[in-house]
Amino acid sequence: DTGVSQNPRHKITKRGQNVTFRCDPISEHNRLYWYRQTLGQGPEFLTYFQNEAQLEKSRLLSDRFSAERPKGSFSTLEIQRTEQGDSAMYLCASRRTGENTEAFFGQGTRLTVV
Amino acid sequence: DQQVKQNSPSLSVQEGRISILNCDYTNSMFDYFLWYKKYPAEGPTFLISISSIKDKNEDGRFTVFLNKSAKHLSLHIVPSQPGDSAVYFCAAKGTTSGTYKYIFGTGTRLKVLA
């Protein structure tokens, strides 16, 4: 168990550019989440995958955001035409099958849009 | 609509004393509750959880209490140690309500004074 891995740890981009983040979940976990956290707030849910199926999306996830988990293993989160308001910590979490199971988080990707 | 609320943004406690962190929720469909600890620049780390069929769960120095009628849960840390200084988030999930997401509060920053 190597934990949830996120890359890159930090990303600075100019407004209007596209960015993509990667998440590698714990290997036996088939459930995967993306969250966003800004200063002084708790993590905000963005989207959820069970294996490769995207089962739930937040209204926060505008058309500029897209997430994939093509083979039910790693996942990517892409933000197109970044805006300064996208600056945040993007967190990925995974959990194993079962109703009452905890999610384990990665260390996050800190995005700064300048 | 903040469904999970942590009304105390910060708390200071002397080393060796008890720390009590509180959390309130509004959605009666929540039936699984968790506490996470977060250090700066890291992802949240799972601490302890409780199902709605219980009113108490204990793990070492950490105990979570759930009062369903009041829609309130608390985390007790005894004895508090300087290494416990971090931001603590409570989270809730509605296992039977058809949603998969964890909803987080805004966090309480705990400072344990040596």
Side-chain angles (χ1 to χ4, degrees):
Chain A
D1 178 0
T2 58
V4 178
S5 176
Q6 291 189 245
N7 287 289
R9 290 291 309 277
H10 303 276
K11 178 71 177 178
I12 299 174
T13 190
K14 291 184 178 179
R15 190 173 50 188
Q17 298 294 305
N18 299 344
V19 294
T20 300
F21 309 140
R22 178 180 170 122
C23 172
D24 288 273
I26 294 171
S27 57
E28 65 268 25
H29 289 185
N30 65 345
R31 319 291 177 97
L32 185 145
Y33 297 81
W34 284 98
Y35 280 81
R36 180 173 67 185
Q37 185 174 21
T38 54
L39 197 62
Q41 300 298 314
E44 292 178 294
F45 171 78
L46 293 178
T47 191
Y48 164 80
F49 289 87
Q50 182 172 315
N51 299 310
E52 65 276 8
Q54 189 175 21
L55 296 186
E56 194 169 353
K57 288 171 60 174
S58 167
R59 291 189 300 270
L60 292 174
L61 215 63
S62 76
D63 292 344
R64 298 185 297 106
F65 288 70
S66 63
E68 293 182 342
R69 195 182 183 198
K71 297 182 180 178
S73 56
F74 74 91
S75 176
T76 58
L77 177 68
E78 182 183 16
I79 309 174
Q80 295 182 326
R81 306 181 302 282
T82 53
E83 302 173 355
Q84 285 189 319
D86 297 331
S87 295
M89 173 77 85
Y90 289 84
L91 295 163
C92 176
S94 69
R95 70 177 178 96
R96 55 184 169 82
T97 303
E99 293 302 331
N100 290 348
T101 57
E102 63 274 17
F104 292 87
F105 282 84
Q107 293 190 299
T109 294
R110 167 74 63 190
L111 173 66
T112 302
V113 181
V114 298
Chain B
D1 177 23
Q2 190 71 26
Q3 298 186 66
V4 178
K5 301 177 184 179
Q6 294 178 257
N7 292 319
S8 298
S10 64
L11 174 68
S12 291
V13 172
Q14 284 294 132
E15 181 180 5
R17 305 295 293 269
I18 184 172
S19 295
I20 300 176
L21 296 96
N22 293 303
C23 179
D24 297 293
Y25 61 95
T26 58
N27 191 336
S28 58
M29 297 299 289
F30 290 150
D31 53 15
Y32 184 55
F33 304 89
L34 310 92
W35 284 94
Y36 284 83
K37 177 168 77 172
K38 188 178 183 304
Y39 294 117
E42 294 185 10
T45 302
F46 170 73
L47 271 178
I48 192 169
S49 63
I50 187 167
S51 162
S52 60
I53 62 173
K54 296 185 175 181
D55 54 18
K56 177 183 174 181
N57 189 25
E58 197 169 350
D59 184 3
R61 296 186 298 114
F62 302 92
T63 303
V64 56
F65 295 91
L66 176 63
N67 182 334
K68 290 186 290 295
S69 61
K71 295 191 179 67
H72 177 83
L73 64 155
S74 61
L75 175 69
H76 292 209
I77 306 173
V78 183
S80 300
Q81 300 172 354
D84 296 329
S85 297
V87 178
Y88 288 78
F89 294 97
C90 68
K93 183 171 173 287
T95 302
T96 57
S97 63
T99 182
Y100 307 95
K101 61 191 175 191
Y102 301 86
I103 297 177
F104 285 80
T106 53
T108 296
R109 181 177 301 277
L110 174 66
K111 188 170 184 179
V112 180
L113 306 169

